[in-house]
Amino acid sequence: MKRPVKSLPAGRARLVIVVLLLAFSVMLLRDIYLQLLDQSTLRQQGQMRYLRSVPLPASRGIIMARNGQPLAVNVHAVTIWADPAILDKHHDQWAALGRVLHLSRADFARRVASGGADYTYIERQVAPRIGNALQKLQVPGIYVQNTSRTYYPLGAVTTPLLGLVDEAHQGAAGLERGYNTWLRARPGRELALVDGHGQIVHVAKVQQLAHFGHPLRLTINPQMQYWAYITLTRSLHHFHAKDGSAVVMNVHTGQILAMVSAPSCNPNALGACTNPADYTNNAVHQAFEPGSVMKPFVVAAALASHSVQPDARFNVFHPLIVDGYAITDDVRHHILSIEKILKYSSCIGASKIALKTPEQIIYHMYRSAGFGRKPDLGFVDATAGVLPDWRNWSLARHATIALGYGISVTTLQLADAYAAFANGGYHMRPELVMGQAPVATRIMPAWVARKLRGWLQSVAEPGGTGILAAIDGYHVAGKTGTANMANGHGGFYGHTTNATFVGFAPGNHPQLVMAVSLRGSHFKWNFGGIEAAPVFRVTMRHALQEMNVAPACQHGPIMRITIKPGENLAEIARQYHSSVAHLMNINQLRNPEDIDSGTLLKIPTPKGEKHICRFAAPLVSRAQAEIWSEGGGGT
């Protein structure tokens, strides 16, 4: 039996059709609105999700030595950054990301939250292997950007000189900071389309071009820099000094061939340079009372102003009382010439010369030589030292400023100033960047520089305070200095010193000058002739070999011999076919008896003999060195 089929009411069917048509019309109108009227808003929303502005890397300028050897270079590194909007959706991967980056989950979360809404740095300039490990995880929202970091091939040897860069690859110390505007790179930015995993699919446009840093070529000689650092560090450790510095300069151009400081640190090792003392350039940032190395400048001022004659002699047997203060010598002598005052470093003799010379004349000589003036070498906050105005000098200051007290200088200033004795009386503006023309200013007559150049050679001869600076085969000229360190309360530490040596070589035709300073040693024999002079000897020997300077001390009709015990001038004159009068004249002797055993004597070169250096650095016992370093020696 068939059931009857019921049909829907006609009104209901029409209602269903109307509802369907209305729904279709709403969808059609919505589509028209989105496609035509709200198109810009939709595109903007899409771009916010898939169009990103990402950095365009650029390399910092490299720093080179004078021979083109790199001192600071860029090596491949990666920077890790994140898009928090994407990365927030993948919290389950944060622990794995932290393990690769050696960060706890909390530290990782803090770094993600430290940046902007769509860009934050996680790590900068890390090893490429970390980037490779992150890419293997394929976590959306974490990005690996190729970049570079600074690598220093000589490590700790150049750290105080070159300085450091920070995490943003900007100069933070040394020349890196001083020349940051020249060296720094300016990264660009590009607009890139990224996929759902945050990977760049297409670069839409470059928003800002990347600018690479400029290279910087220094006057530094890498070999001299190395030897200066090694010998300075060895002396610092041996004598338990607090810190030290050394500078090597070309006396004719003012170019700095080495500038080292100790202690130092290796900037290539992670976390090695956290103590500012390890990357402070003591050669320009640290001023100290220099001691007796200032005596030649008082002599130069006295000679140039004719306050004292070159053949003047001074009685130094008794202490010199000035304003109630007694100036004494460590070793007692009787009557000394100016040469012997420098050779034995007589404080009494130097003070007497100073008191015969007007204060203004001494001040002008110091100032002209570069003391009290800040060098323009690119070191931020370099010190000028202290040179008090001569109008404020007391009588005691007038006498003791010749001894290096009441004035503070830097190691660079000492090397710079001594170059004037070596080059004939010119102050050379120090230069550290290649391509600059030398700037010379005469500060003393040529005859004064010549006199001092000869007298200062006796300092590194037997009996002189700088005997440990003597280099076999070369004449060396220089001066030792020892000053008690100020305690910051108007007094001095009893057994802690600034030990200094400044010298140049070869003595007759100087090419290089070197200043060495060690501070804070409380070693028993903490004198400039003990601590600093050997640093000069080792470094200068290698430096002269590096410059192919032959070990021939004399180039002319005069050579030198060492006086043996018991020899007299008449015997020497007969042996070398000369006369007593001629030997006295070329050696500036007043009496035939004015020769000491161990002294170098100028003699005419016998016919048929080569003009070679006859002086050899003597074998010196420790006891002799300790006596000579105090101003003893001789008979």
Side-chain angles (χ1 to χ4, degrees), residues 212-509:
F212 290 77
H214 302 286
L216 186 66
R217 189 169 184 175
L218 305 181
T219 59
I220 295 297
N221 181 296
Q223 288 295 322
M224 296 183 195
Q225 180 81 9
Y226 171 80
W227 281 108
Y229 175 76
I230 293 298
T231 53
L232 177 71
T233 303
R234 184 173 298 175
S235 184
L236 181 137
H237 290 161
H238 182 76
F239 293 104
H240 308 289
K242 179 182 178 183
D243 50 56
S245 58
V247 174
V248 180
M249 283 181 60
N250 184 309
V251 302
H252 301 293
T253 65
Q255 290 186 347
I256 298 171
L257 302 176
M259 180 181 284
V260 299
S261 292
S264 184
C265 58
N266 182 3
N268 304 316
L270 185 64
C273 294
T274 57
N275 186 353
D278 291 340
Y279 53 83
T280 296
N281 189 347
N282 297 319
V284 295
H285 288 287
Q286 188 179 81
F288 55 91
E289 288 190 312
S292 296
V293 290
M294 301 304 295
K295 291 174 182 175
F297 297 98
V298 171
V299 172
L303 295 178
S305 63
H306 304 288
S307 302
V308 169
Q309 297 303 312
D311 59 352
R313 299 167 75 85
F314 297 84
N315 190 326
V316 299
F317 188 75
H318 299 289
L320 177 64
I321 308 300
V322 181
D323 272 356
Y325 296 95
I327 297 175
T328 61
D329 288 338
D330 292 320
V331 176
R332 182 173 288 185
H333 298 280
H334 194 204
I335 296 176
L336 295 179
S337 64
I338 297 178
E339 179 179 13
K340 295 299 175 63
I341 287 174
L342 294 173
K343 179 174 183 175
Y344 301 141
S345 199
S346 170
C347 295
I348 298 172
S351 294
K352 287 188 172 184
I353 293 173
L355 292 173
K356 284 181 172 289
T357 310
E359 300 100 313
Q360 186 177 3
I361 299 297
I362 298 175
Y363 175 87
H364 179 70
M365 177 60 69
Y366 281 14
R367 185 76 180 179
S368 299
F371 300 115
R373 294 191 294 176
K374 185 181 297 186
D376 184 18
L377 293 176
F379 295 102
V380 180
D381 300 329
T383 182
V386 176
L387 177 59
D389 189 277
W390 65 273
R391 287 178 284 265
N392 299 324
W393 291 6
S394 64
L395 186 62
R397 173 66 58 83
H398 187 184
T400 57
I401 203 164
L403 314 179
Y405 286 98
I407 177 177
S408 66
V409 305
T410 66
T411 308
L412 172 64
Q413 288 175 337
L414 286 174
D416 181 30
Y418 265 74
F421 300 134
N423 64 28
Y426 290 94
H427 172 263
M428 304 301 302
R429 184 181 69 184
E431 303 292 353
L432 193 51
V433 176
M434 291 291 290
Q436 297 176 300
V439 177
T441 305
R442 179 169 288 282
I443 64 171
M444 67 183 72
W447 70 270
V448 172
R450 185 168 58 252
K451 282 286 186 184
L452 279 158
R453 189 163 62 242
W455 289 341
L456 289 173
Q457 290 186 47
S458 68
V459 174
E461 295 171 358
T465 59
I467 184 61
L468 295 184
I471 303 173
D472 191 16
Y474 298 90
H475 281 313
V476 168
K479 186 71 187 73
T480 57
T482 307
N484 289 327
M485 284 187 64
N487 60 17
H489 303 289
F492 299 91
Y493 293 110
H495 302 287
T496 307
T497 64
N498 300 318
T500 308
F501 182 84
V502 193
F504 46 86
N508 295 333
H509 302 278

Side-chain angles (χ1 to χ4, degrees), residues 313 340 567-570 580 584 589-597 635:
R313 299 167 75 85
K340 295 299 175 63
E567 283 189 323
N568 59 56
L569 210 59
V580 172
M584 289 177 62
L589 301 175
R590 285 190 173 186
N591 299 304
E593 293 79 19
D594 289 345
I595 60 173
D596 297 327
S597 174
T635 56

Side-chain angles (χ1 to χ4, degrees), residues 12-307:
R12 185 180 296 182
R14 286 193 295 270
L15 179 60
V16 171
I17 293 172
V18 169
V19 170
L20 291 175
L21 288 174
L22 286 174
F24 179 76
S25 299
V26 170
M27 293 176 61
L28 181 61
L29 290 173
R30 176 61 177 168
D31 186 58
I32 294 173
Y33 172 77
L34 293 176
Q35 293 291 331
L36 300 178
L37 301 179
D38 203 26
Q39 184 183 40
S40 60
T41 303
L42 290 176
R43 288 183 179 275
Q44 184 178 4
Q45 292 294 324
Q47 290 176 354
M48 288 175 62
R49 289 172 172 80
Y50 299 107
L51 203 57
R52 295 285 185 270
S53 178
V54 296
L56 199 60
S59 297
R60 187 175 176 84
I62 66 171
I63 302 177
M64 299 174 289
R66 63 185 303 111
N67 62 356
Q69 180 177 331
L71 300 176
V73 296
N74 296 300
V75 296
H76 180 52
V78 294
T79 290
I80 313 301
W81 63 280
D83 185 335
I86 298 176
L87 195 60
D88 279 345
K89 301 173 183 178
H90 302 277
H91 276 269
D92 56 326
Q93 297 290 328
W94 285 24
L97 293 173
R99 284 193 295 272
V100 172
L101 294 167
H102 303 290
L103 297 173
S104 67
R105 185 183 178 90
D107 288 337
F108 182 79
R110 276 193 293 270
R111 297 197 184 190
V112 172
S114 64
D118 61 353
Y119 189 93
T120 183
Y121 281 113
I122 305 299
E123 290 280 11
R124 297 188 185 188
Q125 301 172 14
V126 295
R129 58 180 175 78
I130 295 179
N132 295 334
L134 286 175
Q135 288 178 329
K136 290 180 180 178
L137 294 178
Q138 294 185 342
V139 178
I142 195 82
Y143 307 98
V144 178
Q145 174 189 331
N146 288 323
T147 183
S148 61
R149 66 179 179 89
T150 302
Y151 176 77
Y152 301 91
L154 294 185
V157 175
T158 56
T159 301
L161 170 65
L162 302 182
L164 306 167
V165 294
D166 58 21
E167 287 186 349
H169 222 189
Q170 300 299 308
L175 292 178
E176 292 276 22
R177 181 184 177 192
Y179 283 91
N180 187 59
T181 302
W182 178 260
L183 292 167
R184 72 178 180 183
R186 295 171 177 81
R189 297 194 74 83
E190 61 184 7
L191 202 61
L193 186 67
V194 298
D195 60 18
H197 294 283
Q199 304 302 316
I200 295 177
V201 176
H202 173 70
V203 176
K205 68 175 181 178
V206 175
Q207 297 172 308
Q208 181 181 342
L209 290 174
H211 295 278
F212 290 77
H214 302 286
L216 186 66
R217 189 169 184 175
L218 305 181
T219 59
I220 295 297
N221 181 296
Q223 288 295 322
M224 296 183 195
Q225 180 81 9
Y226 171 80
W227 281 108
Y229 175 76
I230 293 298
T231 53
L232 177 71
T233 303
R234 184 173 298 175
S235 184
L236 181 137
H237 290 161
H238 182 76
F239 293 104
H240 308 289
K242 179 182 178 183
D243 50 56
S245 58
V247 174
V248 180
M249 283 181 60
N250 184 309
V251 302
H252 301 293
T253 65
Q255 290 186 347
I256 298 171
L257 302 176
M259 180 181 284
V260 299
S261 292
S264 184
C265 58
N266 182 3
N268 304 316
L270 185 64
C273 294
T274 57
N275 186 353
D278 291 340
Y279 53 83
T280 296
N281 189 347
N282 297 319
V284 295
H285 288 287
Q286 188 179 81
F288 55 91
E289 288 190 312
S292 296
V293 290
M294 301 304 295
K295 291 174 182 175
F297 297 98
V298 171
V299 172
L303 295 178
S305 63
H306 304 288
S307 302

